[in-house]
PDB file of all heavy atoms in Angstrom:
ATOM      1  N   VAL A 294       1.315 -10.947  -1.963  1.00 98.00           N
ATOM      2  CA  VAL A 294       2.160  -9.743  -2.484  1.00 98.00           C
ATOM      3  C   VAL A 294       3.268  -9.396  -1.619  1.00 98.00           C
ATOM      4  O   VAL A 294       3.143  -9.484  -0.358  1.00 98.00           O
ATOM      5  CB  VAL A 294       1.149  -8.571  -2.450  1.00 98.00           C
ATOM      6  CG1 VAL A 294       1.896  -7.307  -2.989  1.00 98.00           C
ATOM      7  CG2 VAL A 294      -0.025  -8.917  -3.544  1.00 98.00           C
ATOM      8  N   ALA A 295       4.487  -9.230  -2.083  1.00 98.00           N
ATOM      9  CA  ALA A 295       5.551  -8.765  -1.460  1.00 98.00           C
ATOM     10  C   ALA A 295       5.819  -7.271  -1.480  1.00 98.00           C
ATOM     11  O   ALA A 295       5.665  -6.657  -2.673  1.00 98.00           O
ATOM     12  CB  ALA A 295       6.866  -9.448  -1.950  1.00 98.00           C
ATOM     13  N   GLY A 296       6.038  -6.608  -0.375  1.00 98.00           N
ATOM     14  CA  GLY A 296       6.297  -5.210  -0.487  1.00 98.00           C
ATOM     15  C   GLY A 296       7.714  -4.923   0.139  1.00 98.00           C
ATOM     16  O   GLY A 296       8.168  -5.512   1.107  1.00 98.00           O
ATOM     17  N   VAL A 297       8.555  -4.063  -0.540  1.00 98.00           N
ATOM     18  CA  VAL A 297       9.795  -3.620  -0.080  1.00 98.00           C
ATOM     19  C   VAL A 297       9.812  -2.181   0.379  1.00 98.00           C
ATOM     20  O   VAL A 297       9.515  -1.268  -0.315  1.00 98.00           O
ATOM     21  CB  VAL A 297      10.806  -3.765  -1.304  1.00 98.00           C
ATOM     22  CG1 VAL A 297      12.220  -3.274  -0.771  1.00 98.00           C
ATOM     23  CG2 VAL A 297      10.944  -5.263  -1.683  1.00 98.00           C
ATOM     24  N   SER A 298       9.839  -2.028   1.731  1.00 95.00           N
ATOM     25  CA  SER A 298       9.722  -0.682   2.307  1.00 95.00           C
ATOM     26  C   SER A 298      11.107  -0.046   2.287  1.00 95.00           C
ATOM     27  O   SER A 298      12.106  -0.700   2.072  1.00 95.00           O
ATOM     28  CB  SER A 298       9.145  -0.851   3.781  1.00 95.00           C
ATOM     29  OG  SER A 298      10.088  -1.348   4.701  1.00 95.00           O
ATOM     30  N   MET A 299      11.082   1.177   2.625  1.00 94.00           N
ATOM     31  CA  MET A 299      12.330   2.016   2.667  1.00 94.00           C
ATOM     32  C   MET A 299      13.090   1.896   1.282  1.00 94.00           C
ATOM     33  O   MET A 299      14.425   2.049   1.286  1.00 94.00           O
ATOM     34  CB  MET A 299      13.279   1.642   3.790  1.00 94.00           C
ATOM     35  CG  MET A 299      12.676   1.630   5.261  1.00 94.00           C
ATOM     36  SD  MET A 299      12.408   3.471   5.631  1.00 94.00           S
ATOM     37  CE  MET A 299      11.454   3.188   7.164  1.00 94.00           C
ATOM     38  N   ALA A 300      12.466   1.686   0.208  1.00 96.00           N
ATOM     39  CA  ALA A 300      13.182   1.496  -1.092  1.00 96.00           C
ATOM     40  C   ALA A 300      13.801   2.753  -1.612  1.00 96.00           C
ATOM     41  O   ALA A 300      14.618   2.688  -2.442  1.00 96.00           O
ATOM     42  CB  ALA A 300      12.034   1.010  -2.057  1.00 96.00           C
ATOM     43  N   PHE A 301      13.284   3.924  -1.067  1.00 93.00           N
ATOM     44  CA  PHE A 301      13.860   5.261  -1.584  1.00 93.00           C
ATOM     45  C   PHE A 301      14.564   6.090  -0.431  1.00 93.00           C
ATOM     46  O   PHE A 301      14.932   7.222  -0.705  1.00 93.00           O
ATOM     47  CB  PHE A 301      12.727   6.095  -2.184  1.00 93.00           C
ATOM     48  CG  PHE A 301      12.069   5.494  -3.331  1.00 93.00           C
ATOM     49  CD1 PHE A 301      11.039   4.595  -3.154  1.00 93.00           C
ATOM     50  CD2 PHE A 301      12.461   5.777  -4.668  1.00 93.00           C
ATOM     51  CE1 PHE A 301      10.305   4.034  -4.198  1.00 93.00           C
ATOM     52  CE2 PHE A 301      11.909   5.006  -5.687  1.00 93.00           C
ATOM     53  CZ  PHE A 301      10.779   4.224  -5.475  1.00 93.00           C
ATOM     54  N   GLY A 302      14.867   5.342   0.541  1.00 89.00           N
ATOM     55  CA  GLY A 302      15.536   6.063   1.743  1.00 89.00           C
ATOM     56  C   GLY A 302      15.065   5.678   3.090  1.00 89.00           C
ATOM     57  O   GLY A 302      13.969   5.105   3.168  1.00 89.00           O
ATOM     58  N   SER A 303      15.876   5.823   4.047  1.00 88.00           N
ATOM     59  CA  SER A 303      15.628   5.570   5.420  1.00 88.00           C
ATOM     60  C   SER A 303      16.130   6.533   6.398  1.00 88.00           C
ATOM     61  O   SER A 303      17.147   7.135   6.075  1.00 88.00           O
ATOM     62  CB  SER A 303      16.236   4.169   5.781  1.00 88.00           C
ATOM     63  OG  SER A 303      16.250   4.029   7.212  1.00 88.00           O
ATOM     64  N   PRO A 304      15.393   6.917   7.452  1.00 86.00           N
ATOM     65  CA  PRO A 304      15.875   7.952   8.373  1.00 86.00           C
ATOM     66  C   PRO A 304      17.063   7.295   9.249  1.00 86.00           C
ATOM     67  O   PRO A 304      17.752   8.007  10.021  1.00 86.00           O
ATOM     68  CB  PRO A 304      14.673   8.196   9.317  1.00 86.00           C
ATOM     69  CG  PRO A 304      13.937   6.890   9.199  1.00 86.00           C
ATOM     70  CD  PRO A 304      14.050   6.369   7.745  1.00 86.00           C
ATOM     71  N   TYR A 305      17.293   5.998   9.078  1.00 88.00           N
ATOM     72  CA  TYR A 305      18.396   5.361   9.954  1.00 88.00           C
ATOM     73  C   TYR A 305      19.630   5.071   9.257  1.00 88.00           C
ATOM     74  O   TYR A 305      20.654   4.858   9.899  1.00 88.00           O
ATOM     75  CB  TYR A 305      17.884   4.068  10.448  1.00 88.00           C
ATOM     76  CG  TYR A 305      16.527   4.076  11.122  1.00 88.00           C
ATOM     77  CD1 TYR A 305      15.424   3.351  10.681  1.00 88.00           C
ATOM     78  CD2 TYR A 305      16.402   4.790  12.307  1.00 88.00           C
ATOM     79  CE1 TYR A 305      14.246   3.527  11.342  1.00 88.00           C
ATOM     80  CE2 TYR A 305      15.241   4.981  12.976  1.00 88.00           C
ATOM     81  CZ  TYR A 305      14.138   4.225  12.550  1.00 88.00           C
ATOM     82  OH  TYR A 305      12.884   4.334  13.206  1.00 88.00           O
ATOM     83  N   GLU A 306      19.711   5.265   7.912  1.00 87.00           N
ATOM     84  CA  GLU A 306      20.931   5.182   7.145  1.00 87.00           C
ATOM     85  C   GLU A 306      21.142   6.458   6.295  1.00 87.00           C
ATOM     86  O   GLU A 306      20.209   7.081   5.931  1.00 87.00           O
ATOM     87  CB  GLU A 306      20.983   3.872   6.283  1.00 87.00           C
ATOM     88  CG  GLU A 306      21.196   2.540   7.002  1.00 87.00           C
ATOM     89  CD  GLU A 306      19.840   1.922   7.215  1.00 87.00           C
ATOM     90  OE1 GLU A 306      18.765   2.443   6.949  1.00 87.00           O
ATOM     91  OE2 GLU A 306      19.999   0.747   7.787  1.00 87.00           O
ATOM     92  N   ASP A 307      22.327   6.686   5.853  1.00 79.00           N
ATOM     93  CA  ASP A 307      22.612   7.873   5.043  1.00 79.00           C
ATOM     94  C   ASP A 307      21.836   7.694   3.748  1.00 79.00           C
ATOM     95  O   ASP A 307      21.431   8.654   3.202  1.00 79.00           O
ATOM     96  CB  ASP A 307      24.141   8.099   4.839  1.00 79.00           C
ATOM     97  CG  ASP A 307      24.801   8.522   6.143  1.00 79.00           C
ATOM     98  OD1 ASP A 307      24.108   9.173   6.950  1.00 79.00           O
ATOM     99  OD2 ASP A 307      26.002   8.371   6.233  1.00 79.00           O
ATOM    100  N   GLU A 308      21.949   6.444   3.212  1.00 85.00           N
ATOM    101  CA  GLU A 308      21.252   6.167   1.880  1.00 85.00           C
ATOM    102  C   GLU A 308      21.063   4.689   1.856  1.00 85.00           C
ATOM    103  O   GLU A 308      21.733   3.830   2.463  1.00 85.00           O
ATOM    104  CB  GLU A 308      22.171   6.698   0.718  1.00 85.00           C
ATOM    105  CG  GLU A 308      23.410   5.944   0.538  1.00 85.00           C
ATOM    106  CD  GLU A 308      24.158   6.332  -0.749  1.00 85.00           C
ATOM    107  OE1 GLU A 308      23.353   6.488  -1.816  1.00 85.00           O
ATOM    108  OE2 GLU A 308      25.312   6.443  -0.746  1.00 85.00           O
ATOM    109  N   ILE A 309      20.103   4.347   0.956  1.00 91.00           N
ATOM    110  CA  ILE A 309      19.881   2.918   0.613  1.00 91.00           C
ATOM    111  C   ILE A 309      20.256   2.816  -0.862  1.00 91.00           C
ATOM    112  O   ILE A 309      19.513   3.189  -1.652  1.00 91.00           O
ATOM    113  CB  ILE A 309      18.458   2.610   0.758  1.00 91.00           C
ATOM    114  CG1 ILE A 309      17.980   2.760   2.103  1.00 91.00           C
ATOM    115  CG2 ILE A 309      18.124   1.034   0.444  1.00 91.00           C
ATOM    116  CD1 ILE A 309      18.556   1.900   3.290  1.00 91.00           C
ATOM    117  N   PRO A 310      21.441   2.189  -1.291  1.00 93.00           N
ATOM    118  CA  PRO A 310      21.915   2.120  -2.468  1.00 93.00           C
ATOM    119  C   PRO A 310      20.891   1.307  -3.422  1.00 93.00           C
ATOM    120  O   PRO A 310      20.236   0.384  -2.974  1.00 93.00           O
ATOM    121  CB  PRO A 310      23.147   1.269  -2.441  1.00 93.00           C
ATOM    122  CG  PRO A 310      23.709   1.574  -1.061  1.00 93.00           C
ATOM    123  CD  PRO A 310      22.456   1.675  -0.181  1.00 93.00           C
TER     124      PRO A 310
END
Side-chain angles (χ1 to χ4, degrees):
V294 175
V297 176
S298 71
M299 300 290 174
F301 298 90
S303 164
Y305 304 120
E306 285 101 352
D307 291 335
E308 68 171 319
I309 304 293

